[in-house]
Amino acid sequence: MLDTDNYLKPWIVNRADPYVLKHTDGLYYFTASVPEYDRLVLRKAATLEGLVNAQETVIWRKHETGEMGNHIWAPELHFIDGKWYIYFAAGTAEDQWAIRPYVLECGDEDPITGTWVEKGKIKLDFESFSLDATTFEHNGKRYLIWAQYKESDSNLYIAKLANPWTIIGPQVLISTPEYDWEIQGYRVNEGPAVLMRNGRIFVAFSASATDHRYCMGLLEASLEADLLDPGSWTKHPKPVFETNEETENYGPGHNSFTVSEDGSTDLMVYHARPYEELIGSALSDPNRHARVQAFTWKEDGTPDFGVPGK
C-alpha cells in the first residue's frame, strides 16, 4: 500500500489547479496555475515526492497585448499522437474576463526544453467565458470537455475533436449547476477530470465559488453509450469531496488523476487552502496548495475519494 502521509499536508505550495501526467518514460510531469496568472510552468521528476523540489521551468509567458494576455489559468499537459499539448484558459490584455480556452503544441521529446507553438483559441459554438478544457480518447475518438458560461451558469460541455485544438460537430451540454452545493456564491460546474474504469466514464468536476464552499461532484456514463447524448450522463446528487475543518482542507477541488510510481494505487491531485477566511479575494489569495491523496473504489464500481487530508 502506498504511503501518502507525506502528501496529506500541502504538497506543492502556491500552485492551484494542479495537473499531473505520468508519461510513458516513467516520469511525472506537473503543471498548475501560479498566483500571478502570467505564465505556464512545468516540472518533472521520477517520483511524486521529487516533484516538490524539482526545478520549475517557465515554458511560456502571457502576451503584452491582445489574446492570451491576462489571467493565465488552469493548464493541463497531454501527450497526443506523439506530441505534447497544453490546454489553458486566458483573457485578453485589454479584458481580463474575456476568458477562452487555448492550446500550445510541442513536437520535441522533452516538453520542458522543447519549443512550444501557439495553436490558438479553440473555437466553440458560441462566444462566452469558457475555461478548464480537458481531453480524452475513447474507442478511437478524441473528445473535449470544458466549462462555459451560458446566461448565469457555468456549465460542462462535451464535443468531438478533429485535432487537439479543433472541435467538430456540435457541443453538447452534459451538466449544469442544479443542486444546492453547486450554487454557493456562484452557479458553477468547472474543472472536469476524466476517469475510465469498470465499464464507465467518470467526470469529477468542481462546483460553487472558489472559497471554502468549493467542492467536487461526479458525473458518469456507460462506456457503451453515446457520450454526445446528454441522456447518457448521470450526476451524483451529493458532493464527493468537500471542505474538512479537522484536516484544514478548505475548498478542495480542481483535481486531476494519476497513479503511484508502481502503478498500483490510484491518486487524486487537487488544491485546497489551509484556512477558511480569505486573504483578499478568492483569486488574489495565493494559498491554494496542491495536494495528493490515494482513493479507492466502492463495490458498486464508483470511486471513493474519501475525506480531504485523510
Side-chain angles (χ1 to χ4, degrees), residues 83 85 87 102-105 119-123 144 161-167:
K83 292 184 179 180
Y85 293 90
Y87 292 78
Y102 297 88
V103 181
L104 303 181
E105 179 187 73
K119 305 306 289 186
K121 181 171 66 175
I122 300 175
K123 294 181 180 178
L144 191 78
L161 286 173
N163 58 45
W165 59 93
T166 309
I167 68 169

Side-chain angles (χ1 to χ4, degrees), residues 207-255:
S208 291
T210 55
D211 53 22
H212 66 281
R213 297 170 291 183
Y214 207 49
C215 62
M216 283 170 48
L218 191 68
L219 296 172
E220 69 169 271
S222 168
L223 286 174
E224 301 299 318
D226 178 3
L227 300 183
L228 297 181
D229 178 359
S232 298
W233 294 90
T234 301
K235 183 187 295 184
H236 291 228
K238 296 182 179 180
V240 293
F241 210 60
E242 56 189 327
T243 288
N244 186 273
E245 295 182 0
E246 179 187 349
T247 61
E248 298 181 331
N249 272 238
Y250 293 89
H254 204 117
N255 75 293

Side-chain angles (χ1 to χ4, degrees), residues 179-286:
Y179 294 109
D180 182 65
W181 50 272
E182 298 176 286
I183 60 173
Q184 298 301 306
Y186 297 100
R187 301 175 60 87
V188 172
N189 286 178
E190 65 181 17
V194 173
L195 272 177
M196 288 187 277
R197 185 75 61 86
N198 302 325
R200 285 178 273 182
I201 176 171
F202 300 95
V203 177
F205 65 92
S206 298
S208 291
T210 55
D211 53 22
H212 66 281
R213 297 170 291 183
Y214 207 49
C215 62
M216 283 170 48
L218 191 68
L219 296 172
E220 69 169 271
S222 168
L223 286 174
E224 301 299 318
D226 178 3
L227 300 183
L228 297 181
D229 178 359
S232 298
W233 294 90
T234 301
K235 183 187 295 184
H236 291 228
K238 296 182 179 180
V240 293
F241 210 60
E242 56 189 327
T243 288
N244 186 273
E245 295 182 0
E246 179 187 349
T247 61
E248 298 181 331
N249 272 238
Y250 293 89
H254 204 117
N255 75 293
S256 59
F257 296 109
T258 188
V259 294
S260 59
E261 285 83 353
D262 63 4
S264 66
T265 304
D266 289 311
L267 302 173
M268 179 168 64
V269 183
Y270 67 99
H271 74 232
R273 287 190 179 89
Y275 47 77
E276 179 176 338
E277 294 298 322
L278 298 176
I279 301 174
S281 71
L283 285 178
S284 64
D285 185 317

Side-chain angles (χ1 to χ4, degrees), residues 2 9 41 49 84 115 128 181 186 210 214-215 219 293:
L2 179 73
K9 295 179 180 179
V41 298
E49 186 175 358
W84 298 95
T115 299
S128 65
W181 50 272
Y186 297 100
T210 55
Y214 207 49
C215 62
L219 296 172
Q293 186 162 323

Side-chain angles (χ1 to χ4, degrees), residues 166-182:
T166 309
I167 68 169
I168 185 172
Q171 64 180 65
V172 176
L173 176 67
I174 58 172
S175 182
T176 190
E178 55 187 307
Y179 294 109
D180 182 65
W181 50 272
E182 298 176 286

